[in-house]
């Protein structure tokens, strides 16, 4: 099963990378760009028996390693 | 409209960050972890009139700035 873990900075946490991207887009002439947030995505191939097991595994991995839950939130999507 | 641009290394391009994450998960005792790929996700708030316009804008941004299309592929999702 394929698990996709998306890790974003929590709302309210300053995101300098997102700010830099927003500024660069303005410099390139793109208009109407509001808030920009940058995050990470990790795609994992898991040997899980079913979707629930894959989700439990991926959430444990996110909590232990992939996300810093003090300042980051994560979401998990599972595909067969 | 909210656009989410996901940027991943193309298949076949070596992904040392993904490899490091896979190795670290093994060290932490997680079993059954196959291929791991790491990428970036950028969430943008766009002042577009409709979904098609937001998608066109986000794809242009990805091609110009967010992705290096020589080694990276991207996908765009639009939410109202």
């Amino acid at each position: 099963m394929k698990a996709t873990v998306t890790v974003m900075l929590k709302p309210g946490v300053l995101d300098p990378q997102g700010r830099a991207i927003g500024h660069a887009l303005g410099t390139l002439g793109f208009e109407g760009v509001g808030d920009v947030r940058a995050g990470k995505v990790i795609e994992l191939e898991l040997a899980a028996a079913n979707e629930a097991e894959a989700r439990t595994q991926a959430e444990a991995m996110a909590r232990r390693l992939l996300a810093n839950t003090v300042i980051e939130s994560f979401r998990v999507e599972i595909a067969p």
Side-chain angles (χ1 to χ4, degrees), chain A residues 1-4 44-59 61 76-80:
Chain A
M1 299 228 160
K2 190 173 147 196
T4 302
L44 309 118
E45 197 60 49
L46 299 178
N50 54 52
E51 185 174 327
E53 196 186 305
R55 183 174 294 277
T56 306
Q57 283 182 10
E59 287 180 356
M61 291 170 185
V76 171
E77 287 151 271
I78 307 291

mmCIF file of all heavy atoms in Angstrom, chain A residues 1-4 44-59 61 76-80:
data_model
loop_
_atom_site.group_PDB
_atom_site.id
_atom_site.type_symbol
_atom_site.label_atom_id
_atom_site.label_comp_id
_atom_site.label_asym_id
_atom_site.label_seq_id
_atom_site.Cartn_x
_atom_site.Cartn_y
_atom_site.Cartn_z
ATOM 1 N N MET A 1 0.842 -1.192 0.000
ATOM 2 C CA MET A 1 0.000 0.000 0.000
ATOM 3 C C MET A 1 0.878 1.243 0.000
ATOM 4 O O MET A 1 1.951 1.254 0.572
ATOM 5 C CB MET A 1 -0.845 0.037 1.270
ATOM 6 C CG MET A 1 -1.784 -1.123 1.420
ATOM 7 S SD MET A 1 -3.403 -0.501 1.844
ATOM 8 C CE MET A 1 -4.401 -1.880 1.372
ATOM 9 N N LYS A 2 0.369 2.272 -0.637
ATOM 10 C CA LYS A 2 1.135 3.509 -0.717
ATOM 11 C C LYS A 2 0.552 4.528 0.271
ATOM 12 O O LYS A 2 -0.640 4.840 0.204
ATOM 13 C CB LYS A 2 1.085 4.053 -2.139
ATOM 14 C CG LYS A 2 2.029 5.199 -2.365
ATOM 15 C CD LYS A 2 2.068 5.577 -3.828
ATOM 16 C CE LYS A 2 2.289 7.061 -3.982
ATOM 17 N NZ LYS A 2 1.960 7.540 -5.326
ATOM 18 N N ALA A 3 1.399 5.016 1.162
ATOM 19 C CA ALA A 3 0.975 6.032 2.119
ATOM 20 C C ALA A 3 1.626 7.352 1.740
ATOM 21 O O ALA A 3 2.804 7.398 1.414
ATOM 22 C CB ALA A 3 1.377 5.641 3.535
ATOM 23 N N THR A 4 0.838 8.411 1.766
ATOM 24 C CA THR A 4 1.366 9.751 1.502
ATOM 25 C C THR A 4 1.186 10.575 2.763
ATOM 26 O O THR A 4 0.062 10.785 3.220
ATOM 27 C CB THR A 4 0.623 10.405 0.327
ATOM 28 O OG1 THR A 4 0.750 9.565 -0.823
ATOM 29 C CG2 THR A 4 1.208 11.772 0.010
ATOM 30 N N LEU A 44 5.456 6.667 0.950
ATOM 31 C CA LEU A 44 6.056 5.427 1.449
ATOM 32 C C LEU A 44 5.326 4.223 0.892
ATOM 33 O O LEU A 44 4.094 4.209 0.842
ATOM 34 C CB LEU A 44 5.967 5.363 2.983
ATOM 35 C CG LEU A 44 6.468 6.557 3.774
ATOM 36 C CD1 LEU A 44 5.319 7.156 4.555
ATOM 37 C CD2 LEU A 44 7.580 6.151 4.716
ATOM 38 N N GLU A 45 6.069 3.215 0.510
ATOM 39 C CA GLU A 45 5.495 1.932 0.119
ATOM 40 C C GLU A 45 5.512 1.056 1.366
ATOM 41 O O GLU A 45 6.583 0.765 1.913
ATOM 42 C CB GLU A 45 6.345 1.321 -1.004
ATOM 43 C CG GLU A 45 5.666 0.226 -1.775
ATOM 44 C CD GLU A 45 4.385 0.679 -2.464
ATOM 45 O OE1 GLU A 45 4.408 1.707 -3.145
ATOM 46 O OE2 GLU A 45 3.364 -0.008 -2.277
ATOM 47 N N LEU A 46 4.322 0.651 1.844
ATOM 48 C CA LEU A 46 4.220 -0.105 3.094
ATOM 49 C C LEU A 46 3.675 -1.501 2.842
ATOM 50 O O LEU A 46 2.745 -1.668 2.050
ATOM 51 C CB LEU A 46 3.305 0.616 4.086
ATOM 52 C CG LEU A 46 3.736 2.014 4.532
ATOM 53 C CD1 LEU A 46 2.700 2.601 5.479
ATOM 54 C CD2 LEU A 46 5.101 1.977 5.195
ATOM 55 N N ALA A 47 4.236 -2.499 3.541
ATOM 56 C CA ALA A 47 3.747 -3.878 3.430
ATOM 57 C C ALA A 47 2.675 -4.110 4.489
ATOM 58 O O ALA A 47 2.870 -4.875 5.426
ATOM 59 C CB ALA A 47 4.911 -4.849 3.607
ATOM 60 N N ALA A 48 1.541 -3.420 4.348
ATOM 61 C CA ALA A 48 0.457 -3.557 5.321
ATOM 62 C C ALA A 48 -0.656 -4.398 4.705
ATOM 63 O O ALA A 48 -0.862 -4.404 3.497
ATOM 64 C CB ALA A 48 -0.079 -2.185 5.712
ATOM 65 N N ALA A 49 -1.396 -5.112 5.584
ATOM 66 C CA ALA A 49 -2.442 -6.023 5.110
ATOM 67 C C ALA A 49 -3.665 -5.266 4.612
ATOM 68 O O ALA A 49 -4.360 -5.703 3.700
ATOM 69 C CB ALA A 49 -2.839 -6.981 6.225
ATOM 70 N N ASN A 50 -3.952 -4.140 5.223
ATOM 71 C CA ASN A 50 -5.148 -3.388 4.824
ATOM 72 C C ASN A 50 -4.935 -1.900 5.069
ATOM 73 O O ASN A 50 -3.911 -1.479 5.614
ATOM 74 C CB ASN A 50 -6.379 -3.898 5.584
ATOM 75 C CG ASN A 50 -6.150 -3.874 7.094
ATOM 76 O OD1 ASN A 50 -5.761 -2.848 7.648
ATOM 77 N ND2 ASN A 50 -6.356 -5.005 7.760
ATOM 78 N N GLU A 51 -5.937 -1.123 4.677
ATOM 79 C CA GLU A 51 -5.808 0.329 4.734
ATOM 80 C C GLU A 51 -5.660 0.836 6.168
ATOM 81 O O GLU A 51 -4.859 1.729 6.442
ATOM 82 C CB GLU A 51 -7.036 0.977 4.063
ATOM 83 C CG GLU A 51 -6.918 2.476 3.989
ATOM 84 C CD GLU A 51 -8.039 3.139 3.198
ATOM 85 O OE1 GLU A 51 -8.530 2.521 2.241
ATOM 86 O OE2 GLU A 51 -8.399 4.272 3.550
ATOM 87 N N ALA A 52 -6.425 0.239 7.096
ATOM 88 C CA ALA A 52 -6.385 0.696 8.486
ATOM 89 C C ALA A 52 -4.990 0.489 9.085
ATOM 90 O O ALA A 52 -4.450 1.360 9.775
ATOM 91 C CB ALA A 52 -7.434 -0.043 9.315
ATOM 92 N N GLU A 53 -4.394 -0.677 8.775
ATOM 93 C CA GLU A 53 -3.059 -0.968 9.299
ATOM 94 C C GLU A 53 -2.023 -0.007 8.704
ATOM 95 O O GLU A 53 -1.145 0.506 9.410
ATOM 96 C CB GLU A 53 -2.683 -2.415 8.956
ATOM 97 C CG GLU A 53 -1.512 -2.953 9.745
ATOM 98 C CD GLU A 53 -1.104 -4.336 9.246
ATOM 99 O OE1 GLU A 53 -1.975 -5.232 9.212
ATOM 100 O OE2 GLU A 53 0.064 -4.507 8.876
ATOM 101 N N ALA A 54 -2.136 0.247 7.402
ATOM 102 C CA ALA A 54 -1.209 1.172 6.738
ATOM 103 C C ALA A 54 -1.317 2.565 7.342
ATOM 104 O O ALA A 54 -0.303 3.236 7.586
ATOM 105 C CB ALA A 54 -1.505 1.214 5.238
ATOM 106 N N ARG A 55 -2.552 2.983 7.633
ATOM 107 C CA ARG A 55 -2.757 4.310 8.209
ATOM 108 C C ARG A 55 -2.132 4.392 9.601
ATOM 109 O O ARG A 55 -1.472 5.378 9.941
ATOM 110 C CB ARG A 55 -4.262 4.623 8.271
ATOM 111 C CG ARG A 55 -4.603 6.006 8.786
ATOM 112 C CD ARG A 55 -6.090 6.279 8.673
ATOM 113 N NE ARG A 55 -6.524 6.331 7.286
ATOM 114 C CZ ARG A 55 -6.416 7.415 6.504
ATOM 115 N NH1 ARG A 55 -5.928 8.539 7.008
ATOM 116 N NH2 ARG A 55 -6.809 7.387 5.259
ATOM 117 N N THR A 56 -2.344 3.349 10.409
ATOM 118 C CA THR A 56 -1.773 3.328 11.760
ATOM 119 C C THR A 56 -0.245 3.402 11.700
ATOM 120 O O THR A 56 0.379 4.167 12.446
ATOM 121 C CB THR A 56 -2.209 2.028 12.485
ATOM 122 O OG1 THR A 56 -3.631 1.945 12.439
ATOM 123 C CG2 THR A 56 -1.732 2.015 13.921
ATOM 124 N N GLN A 57 0.349 2.606 10.800
ATOM 125 C CA GLN A 57 1.802 2.622 10.638
ATOM 126 C C GLN A 57 2.293 4.014 10.224
ATOM 127 O O GLN A 57 3.240 4.555 10.805
ATOM 128 C CB GLN A 57 2.242 1.627 9.562
ATOM 129 C CG GLN A 57 2.241 0.176 10.002
ATOM 130 C CD GLN A 57 2.736 -0.744 8.889
ATOM 131 O OE1 GLN A 57 3.239 -0.288 7.870
ATOM 132 N NE2 GLN A 57 2.587 -2.036 9.084
ATOM 133 N N ALA A 58 1.652 4.589 9.218
ATOM 134 C CA ALA A 58 2.103 5.877 8.681
ATOM 135 C C ALA A 58 1.970 6.977 9.730
ATOM 136 O O ALA A 58 2.843 7.845 9.839
ATOM 137 C CB ALA A 58 1.314 6.226 7.425
ATOM 138 N N GLU A 59 0.898 6.919 10.529
ATOM 139 C CA GLU A 59 0.721 7.933 11.572
ATOM 140 C C GLU A 59 1.787 7.794 12.649
ATOM 141 O O GLU A 59 2.310 8.797 13.148
ATOM 142 C CB GLU A 59 -0.693 7.839 12.174
ATOM 143 C CG GLU A 59 -1.753 8.361 11.205
ATOM 144 C CD GLU A 59 -3.173 8.284 11.741
ATOM 145 O OE1 GLU A 59 -3.361 7.754 12.862
ATOM 146 O OE2 GLU A 59 -4.080 8.737 11.034
ATOM 147 N N MET A 61 4.817 6.615 12.147
ATOM 148 C CA MET A 61 6.049 7.120 11.532
ATOM 149 C C MET A 61 6.089 8.642 11.533
ATOM 150 O O MET A 61 7.131 9.247 11.788
ATOM 151 C CB MET A 61 6.151 6.622 10.086
ATOM 152 C CG MET A 61 6.388 5.127 9.977
ATOM 153 S SD MET A 61 6.199 4.563 8.265
ATOM 154 C CE MET A 61 6.369 2.794 8.493
ATOM 155 N N VAL A 76 -2.417 11.989 6.603
ATOM 156 C CA VAL A 76 -2.018 10.732 5.963
ATOM 157 C C VAL A 76 -3.089 10.339 4.955
ATOM 158 O O VAL A 76 -4.284 10.370 5.264
ATOM 159 C CB VAL A 76 -1.849 9.620 7.025
ATOM 160 C CG1 VAL A 76 -1.650 8.265 6.366
ATOM 161 C CG2 VAL A 76 -0.700 9.945 7.960
ATOM 162 N N GLU A 77 -2.669 10.010 3.752
ATOM 163 C CA GLU A 77 -3.593 9.443 2.751
ATOM 164 C C GLU A 77 -3.077 8.075 2.345
ATOM 165 O O GLU A 77 -1.864 7.893 2.179
ATOM 166 C CB GLU A 77 -3.669 10.341 1.517
ATOM 167 C CG GLU A 77 -4.450 11.632 1.757
ATOM 168 C CD GLU A 77 -3.962 12.769 0.862
ATOM 169 O OE1 GLU A 77 -3.031 13.483 1.280
ATOM 170 O OE2 GLU A 77 -4.497 12.922 -0.247
ATOM 171 N N ILE A 78 -3.974 7.117 2.198
ATOM 172 C CA ILE A 78 -3.591 5.751 1.826
ATOM 173 C C ILE A 78 -4.190 5.415 0.463
ATOM 174 O O ILE A 78 -5.366 5.668 0.220
ATOM 175 C CB ILE A 78 -4.104 4.743 2.880
ATOM 176 C CG1 ILE A 78 -3.660 5.143 4.293
ATOM 177 C CG2 ILE A 78 -3.669 3.324 2.527
ATOM 178 C CD1 ILE A 78 -2.185 5.015 4.558
ATOM 179 N N ALA A 79 -3.364 4.870 -0.399
ATOM 180 C CA ALA A 79 -3.842 4.382 -1.697
ATOM 181 C C ALA A 79 -3.416 2.916 -1.839
ATOM 182 O O ALA A 79 -2.357 2.546 -1.353
ATOM 183 C CB ALA A 79 -3.259 5.218 -2.823
ATOM 184 N N PRO A 80 -4.238 2.094 -2.486
ATOM 185 C CA PRO A 80 -3.886 0.677 -2.602
ATOM 186 C C PRO A 80 -2.653 0.471 -3.492
ATOM 187 O O PRO A 80 -2.330 1.324 -4.288
ATOM 188 C CB PRO A 80 -5.103 0.039 -3.242
ATOM 189 C CG PRO A 80 -6.077 1.113 -3.524
ATOM 190 C CD PRO A 80 -5.510 2.419 -3.133
#
